[in-house]
Amino acid sequence: MSSPGLIYLDHAGTTPTDPRVLEAMLPYFTQLYGNPSSVHTVGQEARHALDTSRERVARVLGCRSSEVVFTSGGTESDNASIIGAATALRETGNHIITSSVEHHAVLHTCQYLENLGYEVTFLPVDQYGTVSPEQVYNASGARTTVVSLMYANNEIGTINPIAEISQAVQRRARELDRTIVMHTDAVQAAGFLDLNVRGLGVDMMSLSGHKFYGPKGTGILFVRRGTPFLPLLLGGGQERERRSGTENIAGIVGLATALELAHAGREAASQRCATLRDRIIEEVGTAIPNASLNGHRTERLPNNINFSFEGVEGESILLGLDMAGIAASSGSACSSGSLEPSHVLLALGQTAEQARSSLRITLGKDNTEEEVNYLLGVLQDLVARLRELPTLTTTGS
């Protein structure tokens, strides 16, 4: 079977910038290039673009425009939210709750705070990678100040019941008569799940522009009004003194445009991707022996497929797919270059060998049936050939 051209199936890693987003950004590189903190006309033109973009984002999130903070991406948003809330509440408690399957932007931030004397509970997950509201409620106590749990997992696509978890956190906070800040990393959710922060009940939420066809180096941090927060970046006091630094106006305009487009096309994209996802899951499970799906079968992102293939290294599958013109992944793009097994799959109870045999396929809004046909043919043949190769063993000298 001949390749229909490059087939990109790593949309959880990044997405191409939508041409409409690029078109919206271009004037702010060469014509409307002012610093929004300047009082002259050129600066105030940039200020207008900044304020308008903030209002556009707020409409999608269902929040006040004053609650929107523009950042450099999901990593900064995660870092700023957890450190900002934890340090602001340091006098009332030092306990943080997260899970064992979070993105490293959250895990490493929590580990950093552990080294500074904070106590962190890394909640275990069930076989699908889910955390329950009851777990969070039972883990929280008089010293708890921050709960940070992802909306949808970047590797296995499992969706957490964030609205119900937020309710459990709020109930616990009322019982203890204290403030517990609820943060969610929603980086993978944009374009597929509801981002209304009122409905989700969260105090903070992180988003990253390049995950929904926006520019890299752009991000959003929602901070509910009244949430205790100390800034991570200090300087000129931009973003209402929550994130200093001259704003990236071109990037912010592109980010707002991409979020609006993702929100408007969410239902159609979800339905299209879910149809292709379900076909891949069904046919891989049927055609390839000893292939096991990772994550929940139905409560998962519409575009996410993650399989482990017994007896095959995931890296070998990736190289074989790449040679066939298919770009996929074995896990998080931030750590897929590592030889270490996925911490997410290990948390699900897999052995290191099983965790190294995984393949992540993440669909985008433009993937086609023809591309899926080609993928299925290549993957079945590739796994069979790799399983026929002799296993290499090493002995000590």
Side-chain angles (χ1 to χ4, degrees):
M1 182 186 298
S2 61
S3 170
L6 172 65
I7 300 176
Y8 186 76
L9 297 173
D10 192 20
H11 292 84
T14 195
T15 57
T17 301
D18 188 297
R20 294 167 291 182
V21 171
L22 178 60
E23 183 180 3
M25 293 172 64
L26 287 175
Y28 296 93
F29 288 112
T30 57
Q31 300 169 18
L32 306 173
Y33 50 81
N35 185 322
S37 295
S38 300
V39 297
H40 49 62
T41 300
V42 177
Q44 290 310 295
E45 289 174 337
R47 168 60 61 180
H48 177 71
L50 175 63
D51 292 342
T52 301
S53 296
R54 202 183 308 277
E55 292 167 0
R56 294 163 68 190
V57 169
R59 282 195 292 270
V60 173
L61 302 187
C63 67
R64 300 178 177 89
S65 60
S66 60
E67 297 173 318
V68 174
V69 180
F70 292 116
T71 71
S72 64
T75 294
E76 184 191 333
S77 294
D78 285 342
N79 276 245
S81 59
I82 298 169
I83 295 174
T87 53
L89 291 168
R90 185 65 179 87
E91 296 303 314
T92 65
N94 69 335
H95 180 224
I96 300 166
I97 297 173
T98 188
S99 84
S100 56
V101 298
E102 299 297 311
H103 190 278
H104 284 118
V106 169
L107 290 178
H108 290 172
T109 301
C110 290
Q111 290 162 0
Y112 166 79
L113 290 172
E114 265 191 317
N115 291 333
L116 296 180
Y118 287 81
E119 177 190 351
V120 182
T121 296
F122 296 92
L123 294 173
V125 294
D126 64 17
Q127 62 181 318
Y128 305 115
T130 306
V131 174
S132 72
E134 292 75 23
Q135 278 181 283
V136 180
Y137 177 86
N138 292 333
S140 57
R143 299 289 292 171
T144 305
T145 55
V146 179
V147 175
S148 179
L149 294 168
M150 64 194 341
Y151 195 174
N153 190 273
N154 54 301
E155 291 194 30
I156 59 175
T158 296
I159 300 169
N160 269 321
I162 290 298
E164 291 78 6
I165 290 172
S166 296
Q167 291 172 4
V169 171
Q170 292 165 6
R171 185 170 76 252
R172 192 64 158 149
R174 288 193 299 269
E175 292 171 355
L176 297 170
D177 189 25
R178 63 184 302 102
T179 298
I180 303 177
V181 173
M182 177 68 202
H183 165 256
T184 190
D185 175 344
V187 165
Q188 294 294 333
F192 294 112
L193 304 179
D194 185 7
L195 297 179
N196 186 287
V197 294
R198 306 302 172 195
L200 293 173
V202 295
D203 300 302
M204 293 181 167
M205 182 169 73
S206 302
L207 295 169
S208 182
H210 77 106
K211 304 295 188 178
F212 48 89
Y213 303 91
K216 294 178 179 65
T218 63
I220 296 166
L221 175 59
F222 159 73
V223 182
R224 186 186 298 277
R225 186 170 67 175
T227 299
F229 179 80
L230 291 178
L232 191 63
L233 298 181
L234 304 173
Q238 289 88 347
E239 296 297 292
R240 294 175 177 257
E241 299 189 354
R242 295 169 299 190
R243 200 272 185 184
S244 290
T246 302
E247 296 90 346
N248 172 11
I249 300 302
I252 287 168
V253 169
L255 173 67
T257 303
L259 187 64
E260 283 183 331
L261 292 170
H263 179 67
R266 178 167 69 93
E267 186 174 341
S270 295
Q271 183 175 355
R272 177 181 178 81
C273 286
T275 299
L276 296 177
R277 175 202 68 184
D278 291 344
R279 183 183 164 208
I280 294 171
I281 290 175
E282 179 66 28
E283 296 200 19
V284 168
T286 301
I288 302 179
N290 300 315
S292 55
L293 180 69
N294 298 313
H296 200 281
R297 176 62 181 83
T298 56
E299 295 301 313
R300 69 188 301 131
L301 289 170
N303 73 327
N304 180 287
I305 305 105
N306 190 307
F307 271 97
S308 289
F309 298 93
E310 183 180 327
V312 184
E313 288 279 348
E315 183 180 7
S316 298
I317 299 176
L318 289 181
L319 292 173
L321 290 176
D322 192 49
M323 291 178 65
I326 301 171
S329 172
S330 59
S332 170
C334 300
S335 59
S336 57
S338 170
L339 295 177
E340 293 299 314
S342 162
H343 72 282
V344 174
L345 298 181
L346 292 177
L348 267 58
Q350 294 191 11
T351 65
E353 182 181 6
Q354 289 171 324
R356 289 193 182 96
S357 70
S358 67
L359 171 69
R360 182 184 71 176
I361 296 166
T362 43
L363 300 157
K365 58 187 178 67
D366 295 323
N367 287 127
T368 66
E369 287 276 0
E370 179 187 13
E371 291 175 336
V372 169
N373 291 340
Y374 179 70
L375 165 71
L376 291 169
V378 169
L379 186 59
Q380 183 176 357
D381 179 65
L382 175 62
V383 172
R385 285 190 288 108
L386 289 173
R387 283 175 172 165
E388 292 174 355
L389 295 176
T391 301
L392 296 178
T393 58
T394 59
T395 59
S397 57

